[in-house]
Amino acid sequence: MAFYTKVDQETCISCGACGEIAPDIFAYDEEGISFSLLDRNEGAVEVPEDLADNLEDACEECPTDSIMLAEQPFAKHAKKGQTV
C-alpha cells in the first residue's frame, strides 16, 4: 500500500522524535520545525516501501499528531515514485 506524508507545521513542536525515528523521511527547517524530505513537505511523493515501518513509528510517536498520512497524494502535481 502506498503512503504519502507531510507535516502540519502549525502544530509541530520541534520535539525531534520524527527525525530520530525516520531520518530518511523527516528533517527540520531553520526554526526547528519538521518537514518531509521526500518532497519539501508537499505530500506529493510516495514514501518508499522500505521506509513505511519507520514512517508509521514516527507517526505513533509524534506527541502532537502533526505527521499526516494519506493513501493518495496531498498535492495535485504528484508523480508516483518521484523524488526531489
Side-chain angles (χ1 to χ4, degrees), residues 12-27:
C12 176
I13 60 170
S14 307
C15 73
C18 61
E20 184 175 323
I21 295 167
D24 293 328
I25 302 173
F26 301 105

Side-chain angles (χ1 to χ4, degrees), residues 47-66:
V47 175
E49 192 173 314
D50 62 325
L51 299 177
D53 288 341
N54 289 350
L55 174 61
E56 290 180 32
D57 290 345
C59 287
E60 289 175 12
E61 295 300 320
C62 180
T64 58
D65 295 324
S66 296

Side-chain angles (χ1 to χ4, degrees), residues 25-46:
I25 302 173
F26 301 105
Y28 305 96
D29 66 16
E30 60 279 348
E31 296 174 9
I33 303 298
S34 179
F35 67 94
S36 170
L37 283 169
L38 302 174
D39 58 9
R40 304 180 208 273
N41 211 49
E42 293 292 321
V45 174
E46 186 177 326

